[in-house]
Amino acid sequence: MEENLKQLAKSGASPIIKIAIFGPESTGKTTLAAQLAEYYKTVWVPEFARDYLQEKLDSGRGICDINDMLPIAYGQTKLENDSALAANKYLFCDTNLLVTKVFSELYYNFCDSLLDKAARAHQYDLFFLTDIDVPWEDDGLRDSPDGRETVFEVFKQSLIDNKKPFITISGDKDTRLKKAVAIIEDLAMALQLGFSSFDFLQIHQHGIPLENIKRQLHIFNEGVQKIVLVNPATLNHGILKLSDNDFEQKASFFDANKSSLKLLKFVPASGAATRMFKFLNAFLNEFDLGNETINAYINRKKCIELSLFIVGMEKFPFFEAVDKKLHEIYPDFNSLTRDYKNYYFIKTLLSPEHFDFANKPKGVLPFHKYATSIAAPVEEHLHECAFYATSCNQSNLHLTVSENHKELFEAIIKEVKYKVEAKSNSNIDVSYSFQKKETDTIAVDLKNKPFRDEKGMLVFRPGGHGALIENLNGIDADIVFVKNIDNVIQNNVHKISFYKKSLAGILLELQGQTFEYLKELDEHEITSEKINEILFFLKERLNIELNDDFYKFRLKNQVVKLKELLDRPIRVCGMVKNEGEPGGGPFWVRGNDGRLTLQIVETSQIDLKNSEQLKMLENATHFNPVDLVCGLKNYQGKKIDLKEYVDPESGFIVHKNHAGVDLKSYELPGLWNGAMANWLTVFVEIPLFTFNPVKTVNDLLKPAHQPL
């Protein structure tokens, strides 16, 4: 018996992937083990106790007692070790030592120390905890259906207490098998990538597909392929130049045809305002109050932004609120020197105990001062929404926000929405979504190994605004206006709306012709003349030109190719003349398939070490203000799956910091860059006054954000 006990204590090591099916009696363990073994063409380990106890009962030696626990444990382990020799990559165990340990403690309030130690040490790559959502079946050996919930919780807690990696499996037998197979496939990939079972659980619980993790690790090692610029998009060569009459006609066309359409405005609004106040935070961290003057600091740091901020301080829409708070905090505020007043103003503006502006989202900060109120960007977007995203007195605004900031947006919407609706004679439906956790990406260290925090846990970071293609994909609307949260204006909202309507009119015209051609390609015999007509439309209106290889196709294959090109989401993008603002611009780009397409390209996507590519960047004439109008449905009125039109190779590697340690993070292809890379794309020049972003707090001093 001593040798048996030693073998029992040593069991567990195996080169194969071992899955323990774990749970109370009559929860489908045997069924699932047998299903998985059949699916993977391998063996499974049956429950030794069943035959052991049946034989004991049949021989008249009575029912199970405390003395049976060690023989059952030894018999189960031997059965498992023998089965491992015949296993094909996987071994599925109907039960295991931990089950025996739990039953021993549950029924006899005792567990032999050797069994306890072996059960704790016995390792599996994963436990499937079988749920009690299946009927209890009496087989003559089982105890009772009563108290199943309590027993289940005991089993679950034992996995937690003994730090075993587990996932609960629920549903009918077919559902369980499908879930289990998907999990096992991911587990096998995770182990192959060098992750542990607990790493796998962390990834699984985060909801990130393992295939995404694998691709991200590959990108970190191989780098992101740079975009190949061919030419900047310029007027009449990729960018439409319209006359005032043209814009009038397009806006009128939109107004005349919008009644049957659901319109929606989509505003990415989740970003915190940290960068907006970056130079003020630096000032608070580096300025030595009492030992130098603010003017000396400005000269020492060459911080012109701080000088502009102080000179224009009284023009900021938040000045009066902060000034009032300062007089409450410092009763002798008026007697302080100017340097102290300015220092305390900035400190109070950013202090978590008071205004905490740098940690709030831009969308809820005070941007514009009116005669009787102060407006945040989200209120301005409500006004805009009523002006150009309304059909039959119904308007829709969708905001992507951080979950912990949603209440801040809701408070403002609640306060001002009825005023905007009354003024515009429309009903505005406001909806929200959060960036999905499954779009987060894995961080790596500077050697491209998965980065771990001080607790040894993997670190994941948000995937950037490109992750919002998932949110946009969930929108049910015919026409969607996309605009950044900080690109609002205090004046000329009527003119802003006019150009948004014009872009929408262009989209409706192009979409109408595209849909007509798709129906013809679907329903009629197509002639070579019609093919040539569509090719002309693709080239002249959608900037798509096919090479001569197209004419080598048979007619039916030409039809297939044209349908593939036309049946896509479509976007019309406003472009303004480049006046030095940082950000993306319009370019002709050579794709991996050799085809030229129009793309919005960020500077970080360009190989700046290549002199020719750098010259093209410098010769760019226009800038992308993220002023988009999108068509998200196909010619049959069905929603298009936008995820199918992402260029997965066009993401970004960025350098970040975690608790003082440098790391690298991967950001998904940008929402209006790689995430829309394979859309039908049209660029249109719009006036510069339509572009008024607030990148730093000093931008609020510009005329567009000041009262007339």
Side-chain angles (χ1 to χ4, degrees):
M1 176 63 94
E2 183 65 25
E3 287 303 312
N4 292 345
L5 296 180
K6 287 181 180 179
Q7 184 178 356
L8 173 62
K10 290 179 181 178
S11 63
S14 174
I16 61 175
I17 295 176
K18 295 172 65 176
I19 308 292
I21 318 296
F22 183 82
E25 61 184 18
S26 193
T27 54
K29 296 190 296 296
T30 302
T31 299
L32 182 58
Q35 284 179 301
L36 288 170
E38 181 181 0
Y39 182 89
Y40 285 104
K41 308 303 180 191
T42 187
V43 297
W44 62 284
V45 184
E47 184 181 1
F48 176 82
R50 179 169 299 280
D51 290 340
Y52 174 90
L53 294 175
Q54 187 67 57
E55 189 276 331
K56 181 179 181 181
L57 187 64
D58 293 343
S59 65
R61 291 184 289 118
I63 60 173
C64 182
D65 60 43
I66 187 61
N67 295 321
D68 293 313
M69 293 297 101
L70 275 181
I72 288 174
Y74 171 69
Q76 187 68 49
T77 303
K78 185 176 186 307
L79 195 57
E80 181 177 317
N81 290 342
D82 291 345
S83 299
L85 298 175
N88 172 30
K89 187 176 179 180
Y90 299 101
L91 180 65
F92 301 102
C93 305
D94 178 13
T95 191
N96 52 77
L97 295 185
L98 193 58
V99 172
T100 309
K101 166 180 158 61
V102 172
F103 272 121
S104 181
E105 293 170 341
L106 191 63
Y107 284 94
Y108 308 112
N109 199 30
F110 170 80
C111 181
D112 185 280
S113 60
L114 184 54
L115 171 58
D116 179 74
K117 182 178 179 181
R120 292 176 187 276
H122 204 63
Q123 298 300 317
Y124 296 89
D125 294 288
L126 189 66
F127 284 74
F128 281 135
L129 174 60
T130 48
D131 206 347
I132 55 174
D133 59 342
V134 294
W136 186 86
E137 295 180 4
D138 187 0
D139 66 352
L141 291 174
R142 289 174 178 155
D143 189 13
S144 168
D146 298 332
R148 296 184 82 196
E149 293 83 0
T150 302
V151 175
F152 177 80
E153 289 302 320
V154 170
F155 272 79
K156 182 177 180 180
Q157 193 60 46
S158 72
L159 291 170
I160 297 170
D161 292 343
N162 290 286
K163 296 181 174 55
K164 302 296 186 183
F166 76 94
I167 294 174
T168 302
I169 292 288
S170 307
D172 60 34
K173 67 177 185 178
D174 292 333
T175 301
R176 289 184 177 200
L177 176 63
K178 185 176 180 181
K179 287 180 180 178
V181 167
I183 291 167
I184 291 166
E185 296 296 320
D186 277 351
L187 171 65
M189 186 186 299
L191 296 175
Q192 187 177 28
L193 290 171
F195 292 110
S196 70
S197 294
F198 288 99
D199 291 336
F200 165 71
L201 277 184
Q202 191 184 348
I203 295 168
H204 177 79
Q205 289 162 2
H206 212 89
I208 305 175
L210 251 296
E211 194 61 49
N212 290 6
I213 298 287
K214 182 179 180 180
R215 184 169 64 249
Q216 290 159 21
L217 292 174
H218 175 78
I219 290 171
F220 282 122
N221 283 303
E222 300 299 322
V224 175
Q225 185 175 351
K226 295 294 185 180
I227 294 287
V228 180
L229 304 181
V230 176
N231 277 305
T234 55
L235 290 180
N236 301 317
H237 184 58
I239 302 177
L240 280 176
K241 173 73 173 178
L242 300 182
S243 67
D244 290 343
N245 286 337
D246 289 334
F247 277 118
E248 288 279 2
Q249 184 270 322
K250 306 303 181 187
S252 297
F253 183 79
F254 171 71
D255 281 333
N257 290 275
K258 68 182 181 181
S259 61
S260 61
L261 302 174
K262 180 179 179 180
L263 309 177
L264 182 139
K265 185 176 183 182
F266 182 91
V267 181
S270 53
T274 309
R275 293 181 185 176
M276 188 172 160
F277 299 95
K278 184 177 180 180
F279 71 91
L280 293 181
N281 266 319
F283 166 70
L284 291 178
N285 290 330
E286 298 169 4
F287 178 61
D288 187 5
L289 181 64
N291 290 318
E292 72 175 330
T293 65
I294 291 180
N295 192 51
Y297 171 86
I298 291 172
N299 292 330
R300 176 167 63 86
K301 302 294 292 187
K302 295 181 174 57
C303 187
I304 303 302
E305 296 112 313
L306 180 59
S307 179
L308 292 173
F309 179 87
I310 291 172
V311 169
M313 189 179 287
E314 294 186 10
K315 293 183 178 181
F316 286 113
F318 48 76
F319 174 79
E320 291 180 9
V322 178
D323 187 62
K324 181 180 178 182
K325 176 60 68 176
L326 285 169
H327 283 81
E328 293 175 7
I329 301 171
Y330 308 103
D332 60 343
F333 185 76
N334 288 334
S335 65
L336 297 176
T337 65
R338 181 166 298 277
D339 269 9
Y340 273 83
K341 286 181 178 179
N342 290 335
Y343 175 81
Y344 287 140
F345 184 96
I346 296 169
K347 184 177 180 180
T348 303
L349 182 72
L350 302 184
S351 169
E353 291 79 28
H354 299 298
F355 291 88
D356 198 25
F357 275 6
N359 292 316
K360 290 180 179 177
K362 282 185 183 180
V364 302
L365 298 182
F367 265 34
H368 299 147
K369 183 179 180 180
Y370 292 96
T372 59
S373 65
I374 303 291
V378 66
E379 181 178 349
E380 301 289 20
H381 279 289
L382 267 177
H383 282 285
E384 283 194 20
C385 196
F387 270 101
Y388 58 75
T390 298
S391 174
C392 300
N393 302 111
Q394 177 62 48
S395 189
N396 303 281
L397 175 64
H398 184 87
L399 302 164
T400 66
V401 302
S402 299
E403 197 165 355
N404 57 324
H405 290 148
K406 183 183 176 186
E407 289 184 1
L408 296 174
F409 285 92
E410 288 178 324
I412 295 175
I413 296 290
K414 183 179 180 180
E415 181 181 348
V416 303
K417 181 169 171 280
Y418 76 96
K419 299 177 185 176
V420 178
E421 289 178 329
K423 186 176 180 180
S424 62
N425 190 32
S426 63
N427 177 63
I428 306 175
D429 180 63
V430 181
S431 57
Y432 303 87
S433 64
F434 312 127
Q435 189 166 313
K436 296 181 178 180
K437 287 188 68 178
E438 56 264 37
T439 63
D440 288 356
T441 62
I442 193 167
V444 297
D445 62 23
L446 299 185
K447 294 182 179 179
N448 298 324
K449 301 298 182 184
F451 185 89
R452 298 178 185 277
D453 63 17
E454 55 280 0
K455 296 181 180 179
M457 303 291 284
L458 298 172
V459 171
F460 302 103
R461 294 186 59 84
H465 68 70
L468 298 182
I469 196 68
E470 295 270 1
N471 302 63
L472 188 60
N473 201 39
I475 296 297
D476 182 17
D478 298 292
I479 303 297
V480 175
F481 299 87
V482 180
K483 196 174 184 184
N484 268 345
I485 187 67
D486 64 342
N487 185 15
V488 288
I489 193 170
Q490 178 148 1
N491 312 306
N492 293 324
V493 67
H494 290 84
K495 288 186 178 180
I496 295 286
S497 300
F498 168 74
Y499 286 101
K500 293 293 277 191
K501 287 183 177 184
S502 298
L503 295 179
I506 295 168
L507 183 138
L508 286 182
E509 286 185 348
L510 291 171
Q511 195 179 58
Q513 184 61 73
T514 302
F515 286 179
E516 185 178 318
Y517 284 142
L518 282 166
K519 289 176 182 176
E520 290 187 65
L521 291 168
D522 246 2
E523 299 170 2
H524 303 290
E525 287 289 331
I526 299 299
T527 64
S528 57
E529 289 78 10
K530 179 60 69 174
I531 293 287
N532 288 331
E533 179 186 330
I534 296 173
L535 289 173
F536 182 81
F537 171 76
L538 283 169
K539 179 181 178 182
E540 296 300 317
R541 303 298 304 279
L542 296 177
N543 304 291
I544 297 173
E545 187 169 5
L546 300 179
N547 59 34
D548 291 339
D549 288 344
F550 175 80
Y551 295 98
K552 298 177 183 178
F553 296 160
R554 292 182 178 181
L555 184 61
K556 67 176 183 178
N557 291 331
Q558 289 181 345
V559 169
V560 170
K561 183 63 177 178
L562 291 176
K563 287 173 67 175
E564 176 194 325
L565 290 172
L566 289 169
D567 195 11
R568 296 166 182 255
I570 184 170
R571 59 176 175 162
V572 175
C573 314
M575 295 289 154
V576 298
K577 289 181 179 178
N578 192 333
E579 294 201 344
E581 291 284 354
F587 290 88
W588 288 97
V589 168
R590 180 81 65 190
N592 291 331
D593 59 0
R595 206 161 52 85
L596 280 180
T597 61
L598 281 175
Q599 301 291 341
I600 297 170
V601 182
E602 298 289 343
T603 304
S604 59
Q605 295 177 278
I606 302 169
D607 182 4
L608 300 179
K609 296 179 182 178
N610 183 312
S611 58
E612 291 185 3
Q613 295 287 291
L614 182 59
K615 186 176 180 180
M616 287 182 203
L617 174 63
E618 292 170 346
N619 289 337
T621 60
H622 286 72
F623 177 83
N624 160 46
V626 192
D627 210 343
L628 282 64
V629 185
C630 305
L632 308 185
K633 292 186 178 180
N634 66 14
Y635 67 105
Q636 297 169 321
K638 297 178 181 178
K639 285 175 59 178
I640 300 172
D641 185 357
L642 305 182
K643 293 180 290 184
E644 294 182 4
Y645 300 90
V646 175
D647 175 7
E649 304 302 320
S650 58
F652 311 87
I653 294 176
V654 294
H655 288 262
K656 298 289 183 180
N657 189 279
H658 180 89
V661 182
D662 291 332
L663 56 79
K664 293 195 290 187
S665 179
Y666 175 71
E667 292 191 359
L668 301 171
L671 181 58
W672 37 83
N673 310 112
M676 295 182 175
N678 295 313
W679 291 36
L680 298 174
T681 296
V682 174
F683 295 150
V684 182
E685 185 183 63
I686 54 177
L688 187 59
F689 76 80
T690 62
F691 180 48
N692 299 282
V694 178
K695 300 304 180 186
T696 81
V697 64
N698 285 347
D699 287 331
L700 292 175
L701 299 174
K702 294 179 178 179
H705 300 287
Q706 289 289 313
L708 289 174

